[in-house]
Amino acid sequence: MADNNLTTAPEQTDANATSAERVSNSGHDEVATTSSNSGVKRPGDRVFEFLSTASATLITVMIAAIAAFLLWRAVPALGVNDGGIMGFFTYGGRWETSDTSAMKFGIPTMFGTTVLISVFALLLAMPVALAIAIFLSNYAPARLVKPLGFLVDMLAAVPSIVYGLWGWQVLGPALSGFYSWMESWAGGFFLFHVFDNSPSFATGRNLFTGGIVLAVMILPIIAATAREVFVQTPPGQVESALALGATRWEVIRMTVLPFGMSGYIAGSMLGLGRALGETMALYMVVSPLIDFRFSLFDGGTTFATAIALASAEFGNEMRAGAYIAAGLMLFLLTFVVNAIARAIVKNK
């Protein structure tokens, strides 16, 4: 009996070992099967990948097509321009396009006006937008965050022509006294100098008023972008700073702002791109002027308003080509601004 028991025990042990090996092998097979299945694309994945790739390709093709169209229409006009391409970048006088065989046109004054009014609007909008984003993401009561955020976002839904009417009929005349006061003590500074043919302060149709209108228009873009990034600050960082005794402002300065600075800059560059291409509001608010004299109390013509003002000349392909060349420069300018914004965000 003892021998039988001794003989049976090793057999049971071998059977248990064999069973364990089967379980182990089965587990390995399941892992292998799962691994092999993870690399298989389902029909829904293929469809989504195709649509995503097609959308990205379509956007790229559209941008390239726009650039090609602008070049195609601009090159013939640049060929008959006085001074050619170099004259396009250096001639700052009145455009002469009546004789399509020898035209004279250039962009220095438009470029200066466009950049000055857009940068001025950005400098006005950025601090206000930052304050709004910080308040909505850190200080505002929970029940007021959505209503206040909705009101700020509504500014982006107001049509440009409404902003133009407001700036022309209300804002400009209301600031006439402020402009007179500022000119009385800062008129010697080039940014606030008044010339003989500058727009009257009574109407306020100058670059200063246009910059304020643009600032209001781009404000919601910057504020909304910055707010969405600020609320994504990791809660652990905020709680750690509070646990160490930091005040609410110190928490914002040491955690929220460093974390969301890239989004704030990206939103600012998006707002700048909107300001560079604004047409109707500036068409109504800023008095057209050929010269560019670096003064915010002066009138001016941006790329967009110049094209709008000359729409009657687009019946002739050569005349239209001169203004399309200006549109090409605006296209390149906005492209450069977006590229700089991406570089800044990448470094952050």
Side-chain angles (χ1 to χ4, degrees):
M1 295 294 293
D3 292 340
N4 292 337
N5 291 335
L6 291 174
T7 302
T8 304
E11 292 177 354
Q12 293 177 348
T13 303
D14 293 341
N16 293 335
T18 303
S19 177
E21 290 177 357
R22 289 175 180 174
V23 173
S24 177
N25 292 335
S26 177
H28 287 302
D29 292 340
E30 290 178 359
V31 173
T33 303
T34 304
S35 299
S36 62
N37 289 337
S38 63
V40 177
K41 291 183 179 179
R42 299 178 180 179
D45 295 333
R46 292 192 182 97
V47 172
F48 181 76
E49 181 181 0
F50 171 77
L51 292 177
S52 300
T53 304
S55 299
T57 304
L58 179 61
I59 293 298
T60 304
V61 170
M62 289 178 62
I63 295 175
I66 292 172
F69 167 76
L70 294 175
L71 280 171
W72 171 57
R73 294 296 302 273
V75 169
L78 292 173
V80 298
N81 184 33
D82 185 19
I85 297 179
M86 187 59 63
F88 179 67
F89 289 104
T90 57
Y91 177 72
R94 182 182 296 275
W95 283 34
E96 300 177 7
T97 58
S98 56
D99 184 1
T100 56
S101 61
M103 297 190 295
K104 296 178 67 175
F105 58 91
I107 60 167
T109 58
M110 296 181 190
F111 180 84
T113 303
T114 302
V115 172
L116 177 61
I117 195 171
S118 300
V119 172
F120 177 62
L122 187 66
L123 293 177
L124 292 178
M126 285 182 67
V128 180
L130 179 61
I132 292 173
I134 291 175
F135 175 75
L136 292 178
S137 60
N138 293 272
Y139 288 104
R143 64 180 184 278
L144 295 179
V145 172
K146 287 187 177 180
L148 293 177
F150 177 76
L151 290 176
V152 174
D153 294 340
M154 277 295 295
L155 291 175
V158 178
S160 298
I161 193 169
V162 175
Y163 280 113
L165 288 171
W166 170 67
W168 175 26
Q169 297 292 326
V170 179
L171 182 63
L175 292 176
S176 60
F178 171 76
Y179 291 155
S180 300
W181 171 77
M182 181 172 286
E183 193 273 335
S184 65
W185 60 270
F189 188 55
F190 69 96
L191 284 177
F192 306 109
H193 189 69
V194 178
F195 299 90
D196 293 337
N197 60 342
S198 294
S200 171
F201 286 159
T203 61
R205 297 188 64 196
N206 50 41
L207 297 180
F208 200 111
T209 305
I212 296 175
V213 173
L214 276 184
V216 177
M217 295 178 69
I218 66 177
L219 178 66
I221 300 175
I222 305 173
T225 305
R227 176 166 58 93
E228 291 300 323
V229 178
F230 288 166
V231 297
Q232 301 299 324
T233 305
Q237 296 183 12
V238 177
E239 294 171 358
S240 299
L242 291 173
L244 293 173
T247 63
R248 179 61 63 87
W249 166 241
E250 289 173 337
V251 170
I252 294 171
R253 181 170 55 86
M254 294 187 296
T255 62
V256 177
L257 289 180
F259 178 82
M261 188 55 63
S262 61
Y264 174 59
I265 295 175
S268 300
M269 293 301 102
L270 288 174
L272 179 59
R274 166 73 188 278
L276 289 172
E278 179 53 41
T279 305
M280 185 54 64
L282 296 183
Y283 178 85
M284 301 176 69
V285 173
V286 181
S287 179
L289 186 68
I290 298 174
D291 300 326
F292 173 67
R293 296 174 290 202
F294 294 95
S295 175
L296 291 172
F297 287 161
D298 211 0
T301 304
T302 65
F303 284 116
T305 56
I307 295 172
L309 286 167
S311 58
E313 300 186 31
F314 289 176
N316 183 281
E317 290 190 3
M318 197 64 70
R319 294 175 185 172
Y323 292 94
I324 290 176
L328 175 62
M329 290 308 304
L330 179 59
F331 177 84
L332 294 176
L333 183 60
T334 54
F335 186 85
V336 169
V337 168
N338 289 329
I340 293 174
R342 292 184 65 87
I344 293 174
V345 171
K346 184 178 180 180
N347 292 333
K348 289 292 184 181

